[in-house]
Amino acid sequence: MDVNALYNEWLLKANGDPDLIEELESIKGNNEEILDRFYRCLDFGTAGLRGVIGAGTNRMNIYTVGQATQGLSDYLNKNFENPSIAIGYDSRIKSEYFSKEAAKVLAANGIKVYLYDELEPTPCLSFAIRKFHTSSGIILTASHNPAKYNGYKCYDPNGYQMTDEAAEETYNYIQKIDYFTGIKTMDFDEAVQKGLIEYIGEDVIEEFLDEVEKQCVNPGICKKAGLRVIYTPLNGTGNKPVRKILKRIGVEDIRVVAEQENPDGNFPTCPFPNPEIKQAFECALKITKEFDADILLATDPDCDRVGIAVPNNDGEFVLMSGNEVGAMLLNYLLSQKKANGTLSPTAVAVKSFVSTDLAQEIAKKYNCTFKNLLTGFKYIGEVITNLEKEGRADDFVMGFEESYGYLAGTHARDKDAVVGSMLICEMAAYYKTLGKSLVDVMNDLYDEFGYYCNTVKSYEFEGASGMEKMAKIMDTLRANPPKQIAGMDVVYIGDYKTSVAKDLENGTESVIDLPKSNVLAYKVTGGNGVIVRPSGTEPKIKAYITAIGNSKDNANEIADKLIADANKFMEV
């Protein structure tokens, strides 16, 4: 691939967006900058596209979005009779612009488009796919990434992200499309006039909220408890739907962080709009000086993840991890459903396999079937869909991922911070009536089941050299697996790429009955372990640490040792 030839072609032809020509002119003669933009094409996987906004084949722009959409159009026209699609977008830079450009391409290919008329959470896109029975869906978002990123995720007719097979077939079509001559398009207003593009109205959002509200297990508890909430949508899509659902369930005393209330893709007060990190709560924490809150809520820009901070016994607000919230929500839903007689004897709960094993211990207590799945909420969506096909939709209790994604109900097939926010507030209100904070509740679970310290370490590898290093690290670990981690013998190795699990204590092998994925899992004595997984959407490798102790200090000590060896894995 001659990057300079590509650069010159784009400089000549990429005139559909003035921002691109200006950027290309600014890097003329800078070989490093040119290489970074053209050394590869953005990967199209089951998560679609994600990248920095800008000019080039390795950037998010109208040409990479157009190429992907033309390829998707060809796939849909080949596999569906009279195909249709739903499109949503978040508050990110150019999200609305990209959504309309995609709609124009789809319409030009004869595909009916249902387009949200304003920014909406990702789960609303999943809901729309199911409501309108569309063949696919697109959401323009980069989730919780910094402002320079945007993304393009594709969905299947069930409302979850595309399967590997569908994504591969779509990618094969995409690769055949020329950025400048192969993309069909038409005038947006003409497409609307012809009925090829139809706006999704407010009535659909209200219908979505109706379904979310049905997941309450203690209606009226928030009003009874007088729950006091501080909420930040982090300049994203959650502002309207989260506030509406909280109002519906009786949360009347709520403060919204003013500087993070309205949509703004620059995220001026929070460069990393990620509810997993403390910075996301800095503005909300300032309000606690004048407003005695029971809980702080933060949803990410596309409102599919929600994080919380709650006061401890000293009145200091502490962040609770996605694993902790997932475990508490599961315990709350199972205990309350059992108490009110609505817990199915064939209930099912699910999580990603990198999330805390505490959840399956809780499920055992309530005789709830528990499933561990690959990372990616589509796998949780598939479980719900299969239950639905069996007439067992009501058996689904909840699914979650440690990265702050939760879903209860079958209204969507993706993680949903609207229902997550509602249930977290309901749970906090319930325990408030018992004189307990969520910190107290979590400590009760640790006392009952043991202290689980689950930590995620991220290692970033930017640029072309970074991609090579990531591949080398995984290849090296696969070829030379560690015999000890944290001074403890490795007793289990799971290679999800080869689907082989090795029990080193018994000298046996078994098949991992999950789709193949470039993941390596190591377990040492005591249930402790490390899972190593390259991100599917970002230039990083994540190490998921599990440490189980008889106290917080004991578990943290084990975790520190595991992390130290995980750091060494990345030094190849």
Side-chain angles (χ1 to χ4, degrees):
M1 182 186 294
D2 185 341
V3 295
N4 286 305
L6 277 173
Y7 167 75
N8 288 325
E9 181 185 22
W10 277 63
L11 191 60
L12 181 67
K13 298 178 179 178
N15 49 20
D17 180 348
D19 292 345
L20 303 185
I21 294 298
E22 183 180 343
E23 180 182 341
L24 290 166
E25 290 282 4
S26 73
I27 62 169
K28 189 175 287 187
N30 189 327
N31 291 331
E32 185 177 340
E33 293 289 347
I34 291 171
L35 175 65
D36 187 46
R37 285 162 176 78
F38 292 98
Y39 80 90
R40 66 166 190 156
C41 296
L42 283 180
D43 289 332
F44 184 93
T46 54
L49 306 173
R50 186 175 295 182
V52 174
I53 303 162
T57 58
N58 187 34
R59 293 289 189 269
M60 284 290 297
N61 53 65
I62 59 168
Y63 298 104
T64 52
V65 167
Q67 184 197 47
T69 308
Q70 183 60 54
L72 177 62
S73 299
D74 294 341
Y75 164 77
L76 293 174
N77 278 321
K78 172 74 184 304
N79 290 280
F80 297 88
E81 188 175 344
N82 300 318
S84 59
I85 193 165
I87 302 179
Y89 60 94
D90 70 0
S91 63
R92 286 186 174 271
I93 297 166
K94 294 187 183 281
S95 274
E96 183 178 7
Y97 175 45
F98 290 156
S99 73
K100 289 185 174 179
E101 289 298 313
K104 287 159 59 177
V105 173
L106 289 154
N109 284 273
I111 297 169
K112 174 64 180 282
V113 178
Y114 296 92
L115 176 66
Y116 272 109
D117 62 0
E118 67 175 356
L119 73 173
E120 297 293 351
T122 288
C124 293
L125 184 273
S126 179
F127 179 80
I129 292 168
R130 296 177 56 74
K131 175 178 173 58
F132 294 108
H133 305 288
T134 63
S135 316
S136 184
I138 300 169
I139 187 80
L140 279 301
T141 178
S143 189
H144 57 285
N145 288 83
K148 66 180 181 178
Y149 287 90
N150 210 328
Y152 174 110
K153 293 198 294 187
C154 291
Y155 287 69
D156 84 348
N158 293 303
Y160 47 75
Q161 287 182 38
M162 268 188 171
T163 62
D164 296 339
E165 296 78 12
E168 184 177 358
E169 187 178 346
T170 301
Y171 181 55
N172 289 335
Y173 282 111
I174 291 170
Q175 287 183 300
K176 299 172 186 176
I177 308 300
D178 183 273
Y179 290 107
F180 304 109
T181 61
I183 302 167
K184 298 177 185 176
T185 189
M186 68 183 295
D187 180 74
F188 185 86
D189 291 335
E190 180 188 353
V192 172
Q193 189 177 10
K194 289 183 175 180
L196 287 165
I197 297 175
E198 180 181 326
Y199 278 115
I200 301 172
E202 184 63 27
D203 58 316
V204 176
I205 298 301
E206 291 301 319
E207 193 176 331
F208 167 81
L209 294 175
D210 290 342
E211 293 302 312
V212 169
E213 190 176 1
K214 289 177 184 177
Q215 302 314 308
C216 287
V217 289
N218 274 312
I221 195 72
C222 292
K223 188 169 185 178
K224 178 182 176 182
L227 193 73
R228 294 166 64 83
V229 178
I230 296 173
Y231 170 57
T232 172
L234 296 177
N235 300 116
T237 60
N239 186 36
K240 288 184 179 181
V242 171
R243 291 171 74 173
K244 283 181 178 179
I245 199 66
L246 294 186
K247 184 177 181 181
R248 282 193 184 199
I249 66 167
V251 179
E252 298 174 348
D253 214 351
I254 181 169
R255 294 280 186 94
V256 179
V257 178
E259 56 266 60
Q260 296 173 339
E261 178 178 2
N262 296 318
D264 187 340
N266 292 299
F267 311 118
T269 59
C270 188
F272 297 92
N274 183 352
E276 296 180 58
I277 61 176
K278 189 172 183 178
Q279 185 193 50
F281 290 89
E282 284 181 355
C283 292
L285 284 167
K286 292 176 184 175
I287 300 175
T288 63
K289 295 175 182 177
E290 60 184 58
F291 182 78
D292 187 19
D294 297 304
I295 188 168
L296 313 186
L297 285 177
T299 54
D300 69 344
D302 68 321
C303 196
D304 64 350
R305 303 169 194 250
V306 54
I308 67 170
V310 295
N312 61 19
N313 293 332
D314 297 325
E316 180 184 353
F317 278 83
V318 294
L319 269 64
M320 305 208 77
S321 72
N323 280 314
E324 290 177 322
V325 174
M328 283 193 294
L329 274 176
L330 179 61
N331 183 72
Y332 173 70
L333 290 172
L334 289 172
S335 64
Q336 296 305 297
K337 283 174 179 283
K338 182 178 180 179
N340 63 28
T342 60
L343 181 61
S344 167
T346 52
V348 176
V350 291
K351 71 174 180 68
S352 62
F353 73 118
V354 298
S355 302
T356 182
D357 290 337
L358 174 58
Q360 59 196 51
E361 297 303 312
I362 291 168
K364 283 179 189 175
K365 177 180 177 180
Y366 295 96
N367 297 315
C368 174
T369 299
F370 200 87
K371 295 179 182 290
N372 279 296
L373 308 171
L374 288 179
T375 300
F377 228 86
K378 67 176 180 179
Y379 299 112
I380 295 174
E382 285 177 340
V383 168
I384 302 170
T385 300
N386 290 334
L387 287 171
E388 197 171 54
K389 288 176 181 176
E390 296 169 11
R392 297 178 54 203
D394 290 343
D395 283 355
F396 178 68
V397 178
M398 70 168 285
F400 79 96
E401 291 184 332
E402 50 74 38
S403 53
Y404 292 60
Y406 318 99
L407 176 64
T410 60
H411 59 285
R413 296 291 188 273
D414 210 339
K415 48 190 176 286
D416 179 3
V418 183
V419 77
S421 297
M422 181 192 77
L423 287 174
I424 288 168
C425 285
E426 183 189 305
M427 174 173 66
Y430 171 76
Y431 288 115
K432 183 180 180 181
T433 64
L434 302 182
K436 290 184 177 183
S437 72
L438 292 185
V439 172
D440 296 328
V441 174
M442 197 67 235
N443 286 334
D444 288 345
L445 290 175
Y446 286 143
D447 288 342
E448 183 175 358
F449 296 103
Y451 197 95
Y452 284 68
C453 177
N454 295 95
T455 306
V456 183
K457 296 290 291 182
S458 292
Y459 306 87
E460 296 193 7
F461 303 91
E462 296 284 356
S465 61
M467 298 296 288
E468 292 177 6
K469 186 168 184 180
M470 285 171 64
K472 186 177 179 182
I473 288 168
M474 297 304 293
D475 289 344
T476 300
L477 283 172
R478 198 162 267 118
N480 302 291
K483 292 183 172 58
Q484 283 195 330
I485 304 176
M488 295 176 278
D489 290 339
V490 174
V491 297
Y492 169 93
I493 299 174
D495 188 337
Y496 289 77
K497 188 175 183 179
T498 62
S499 300
V500 175
K502 296 181 179 180
D503 183 334
L504 303 180
E505 284 187 309
N506 299 313
T508 59
E509 290 189 3
S510 58
V511 175
I512 298 173
D513 188 21
L514 289 171
K516 293 184 183 298
S517 184
N518 187 18
V519 179
L520 291 165
Y522 305 103
K523 289 184 181 178
V524 296
T525 53
N528 305 294
V530 179
I531 297 174
V532 182
R533 170 184 166 265
S535 171
T537 55
E538 302 168 90
K540 63 176 62 172
I541 292 178
K542 294 184 177 182
Y544 300 84
I545 310 296
T546 296
I548 306 171
N550 52 27
S551 69
K552 181 177 181 179
D553 290 342
N554 178 226
N556 287 339
E557 182 182 347
I558 296 169
D560 288 342
K561 292 177 181 177
L562 292 168
I563 291 168
D565 276 359
N567 291 342
K568 292 175 184 176
F569 294 166
M570 306 300 152
E571 294 173 358
V572 174

